[in-house]
Amino acid sequence: MKTRPFLALFVSPAMLAAGALVAAMAAILQFAFRAFVPGSMEPGGFTFANFTAMLRPLYADVFLQTVAICLMTALATLIVAYPLAYAIVRSRSIPLKSFLLVTALTPMFLGEVVRTYSWIIVLGNSGFINSILLGLHIVDRPVQMMFTTFGVVVALVHVTLPVMVIMLAAALSHVDLDYEKAATSLGAGPVRTFLTVTLPLSMPGIVAGLTTAFAWTFSAFATPQMIGGGRVPMVSTLIYQLGFSSFNFPFAAALSITALALTVAVLALARAALKPLERLGAH
């Protein structure tokens, strides 16, 4: 058996990063079981109170609203990304394909804060959209889009769009065009061919894109904080408020651990529910 001395060199950085991540998670976990001492930065003794406190309706509602926003963002991203990915894969025009690819992937090269500020300019009461609506006399007063769930979802779609496009394009590129030609030769029109052939065969990309967008949105902080302005509570913004406003780090740590566990549970349930569709795309 041949030895690969370079393998350890390649794996070592990843192992070090994984070790640091595990150590950080262990620190957060032990903080979650410590009591909060008002007026002190040092936590108290061992307690389960941080987890039992999350059963209050206030915190349960925040978790439910976060899950709802993540689902809406994932579905909205899919609706926007699928036509882009389809055009990127199927377009015969190289300039058009390049333009769509650059347009879809550009958000990945911008910082989250920069993207969020751009949406503040677009969605604000004196922003781009309201200026057009008021200028065309479509509305009499600015439409409130900032500090709303709608505004947060729109901005989060911009964040998750590039990854969704990449995953869908990868899935669509593996769809054999002969299947579509066979459906057409049997009398199926373009819409029926898409619904019965293309869409089912691209299901692996759809499942991967939805689950990735959901997980990414669940941990988003800057966009909900700036676009929501504290009026659209999510788990990430609640953790920030408790940790850096109230200095209740034990409860913030408990929320972090619970949010991570909830994300894993929701993704596992979604994966199980979408498994039949993913198998359909594999045939």
Side-chain angles (χ1 to χ4, degrees):
M1 185 175 181
K2 294 183 179 180
T3 59
R4 296 186 177 96
F6 63 88
L7 185 61
L9 183 64
F10 286 157
V11 173
S12 295
M15 295 299 294
L16 290 174
L21 179 61
V22 171
M25 292 300 299
I28 294 175
L29 182 62
Q30 66 89 18
F31 246 96
F33 290 97
R34 304 286 291 276
F36 171 57
V37 180
S40 174
M41 297 290 291
E42 293 294 329
F46 181 84
T47 181
F48 285 104
N50 295 320
F51 291 95
T52 57
M54 279 185 283
L55 298 177
R56 298 173 186 171
L58 172 64
Y59 303 115
D61 289 343
V62 172
F63 275 103
L64 290 175
Q65 183 165 353
T66 302
V67 171
I69 290 175
C70 292
L71 290 174
M72 287 188 290
T73 301
L75 291 174
T77 306
L78 175 64
I79 293 172
V80 175
Y82 201 101
L84 275 174
Y86 188 90
I88 290 172
V89 173
R90 299 299 176 86
S91 176
R92 296 181 180 179
S93 172
I94 300 299
L96 177 60
K97 183 179 294 190
S98 301
F99 172 76
L100 293 175
L101 187 61
V102 170
T103 302
L105 300 185
T106 296
M108 293 187 69
F109 303 102
L110 298 174
E112 187 175 359
V113 175
V114 175
R115 290 195 299 261
T116 304
Y117 270 116
S118 67
W119 279 108
I120 293 176
I121 297 173
V122 173
L123 300 175
N125 288 344
S126 301
F128 178 74
I129 295 178
N130 274 313
S131 297
I132 292 178
L133 295 177
L134 291 170
L136 296 176
H137 302 289
I138 297 176
V139 295
D140 297 327
R141 56 183 180 179
V143 178
Q144 184 66 37
M145 289 177 284
M146 284 289 295
F147 315 131
T148 63
T149 301
F150 170 78
V152 172
V153 170
V154 168
L156 287 173
V157 167
H158 190 211
V159 174
T160 57
L161 183 65
V163 176
M164 181 75 80
V165 169
I166 292 172
M167 292 184 174
L168 291 175
L172 287 168
S173 64
H174 286 85
V175 176
D176 194 337
L177 295 179
D178 290 338
Y179 293 138
E180 296 180 357
K181 293 177 182 177
T184 303
S185 65
L186 293 173
V191 176
R192 188 173 182 182
T193 300
F194 173 78
L195 293 176
T196 58
V197 178
T198 310
L199 186 62
L201 291 177
S202 62
M203 276 299 167
I206 293 175
V207 173
L210 287 174
T211 52
T212 303
F214 181 92
W216 204 335
T217 305
F218 208 101
S219 60
F221 166 71
T223 301
Q225 178 73 10
M226 297 169 68
I227 300 295
R231 300 182 188 179
V232 184
M234 292 183 66
V235 174
S236 58
T237 58
L238 181 60
I239 292 171
Y240 173 81
Q241 292 167 1
L242 288 169
F244 295 96
S245 297
S246 304
F247 297 105
N248 191 348
F249 293 111
F251 192 34
L255 282 172
S256 300
I257 296 298
T258 304
L260 178 61
L262 180 62
T263 303
V264 173
V266 172
L267 290 178
L269 290 174
R271 197 75 179 181
L274 296 173
K275 199 68 176 178
L277 297 177
E278 195 172 16
R279 290 199 196 97
L280 181 64
H283 295 306

